[in-house]
Amino acid sequence: SSELTQDPAVSVALGQTVRITCQGDSLRSYYASWYQQKPGQAPVLVIYGKNNRPSGIPDRFSGSSSGNTASLTITGAQAEDEADYYCNSRDSSGNHPVFGGGTKLTVL
Amino acid sequence: QVQLVQSGAEVKKPGASVKVSCKASGYTFTSYGISWVRQAPGQGLEWMGWISAYNGNTNYAQKLQGRVTMTTDTSTSTAYMELRSLRSDDTAVYYCARDEAYYGSGNFGYYFDYWGQGTLVTVSS
């Protein structure tokens, strides 16, 4: 099992706000990064650091962190946001990256 | 623009080896590390290891120690991942990704900002 825990599936109504969470002890010391992956495609970075979006990522994506939990929030979810989302941070030793198990987001 | 272009799909028999390449362009290759990440069919992402393109230092996932070797060729800006003694559960899409670091508000963060397109490696007798 992963050292980062994500809910396997989350759904959101079109245009509503959804929060995807990632829990793990290492998140008290390291920021999480978040990746969107659509079927048959490579992952795409959507959030890194405290709350930074790479160029080209819509501002409806935001990140936050509190204690051992990091969150990815999509404000006003769009149909094209339907995808798998993975968090990434460090393992308990801090030496290796580790991914959460992924959350499948369905936009209704 | 930054691009990572990987080699094509491979089919291997159990016990064989595979070597996947990842050619970088659009940035100074030796200024970043490269991580390799794999994804078995229908499964999540698994970090395999990292190599510094600056000095060749490596850091491998414990479960792959002894079976994986990552190298770079700075003359062609290409990273390589070789996996030996292949088993059926090594069947996966293998990705290379550029490794980056962030520091802010007292904490570090690490992330993969550019990814290759993926290489399907199928292990089957």
Side-chain angles (χ1 to χ4, degrees), chain A residues 20-39:
Chain A
I20 298 169
T21 60
C22 174
Q23 287 190 302
D25 287 342
S26 66
L27 297 175
R28 298 183 186 278
S29 304
Y30 297 96
Y31 290 114
S33 54
W34 290 92
Y35 303 85
Q36 177 193 70
Q37 187 181 35
K38 297 180 180 179

Side-chain angles (χ1 to χ4, degrees), chain A residues 27-31 33 35 37 41-45 48-52 86 88 90 95-101, chain B residues 35 37 39 43-47 59-62 95 102-113 115-118:
Chain A
L27 297 175
R28 298 183 186 278
S29 304
Y30 297 96
Y31 290 114
S33 54
Y35 303 85
Q37 187 181 35
Q41 297 183 18
V44 173
L45 174 70
Y48 67 96
K50 194 170 183 179
N51 179 20
N52 300 94
Y86 294 91
N88 178 270
R90 306 302 266 192
N95 292 330
H96 296 153
V98 64
F99 287 95
Chain B
S35 275
V37 176
Q39 186 171 37
Q43 302 301 308
L45 302 172
E46 178 187 14
W47 178 81
N59 180 14
Y60 299 140
Q62 191 167 4
Y95 295 101
Y102 168 91
Y103 179 77
S105 302
N107 277 350
F108 277 98
Y110 300 88
Y111 57 97
F112 311 112
D113 57 355
W115 294 66
Q117 82 276 20

Side-chain angles (χ1 to χ4, degrees), chain B residues 2-3 13 34 51 57 75 88 92-93 100-101 105 110-111 125:
Chain B
V2 174
Q3 280 192 301
K13 293 196 182 304
I34 293 285
I51 183 167
N57 285 351
S75 69
S88 59
V93 176
E100 186 50 295
S105 302
Y110 300 88
Y111 57 97
S125 54

Side-chain angles (χ1 to χ4, degrees), chain B residues 19-109:
Chain B
K19 191 170 186 176
V20 179
S21 68
C22 169
K23 184 170 176 58
S25 62
Y27 71 97
T28 301
F29 183 64
T30 51
S31 294
Y32 295 83
I34 293 285
S35 275
W36 290 86
V37 176
R38 69 179 180 178
Q39 186 171 37
Q43 302 301 308
L45 302 172
E46 178 187 14
W47 178 81
M48 300 177 65
W50 166 89
I51 183 167
S52 165
Y54 174 71
N55 60 14
N57 285 351
T58 54
N59 180 14
Y60 299 140
Q62 191 167 4
K63 70 176 284 189
L64 295 174
Q65 287 273 3
R67 285 208 302 138
V68 68
T69 300
M70 296 176 187
T71 57
T72 59
D73 181 346
T74 56
S75 69
T76 60
S77 299
T78 303
Y80 298 91
M81 186 284 299
E82 181 179 34
L83 189 60
R84 299 177 293 279
S85 302
L86 289 168
R87 310 187 289 248
S88 59
D89 62 356
D90 292 317
T91 294
V93 176
Y94 289 75
Y95 295 101
C96 60
R98 194 176 79 166
D99 220 284
E100 186 50 295
Y102 168 91
Y103 179 77
S105 302
N107 277 350
F108 277 98

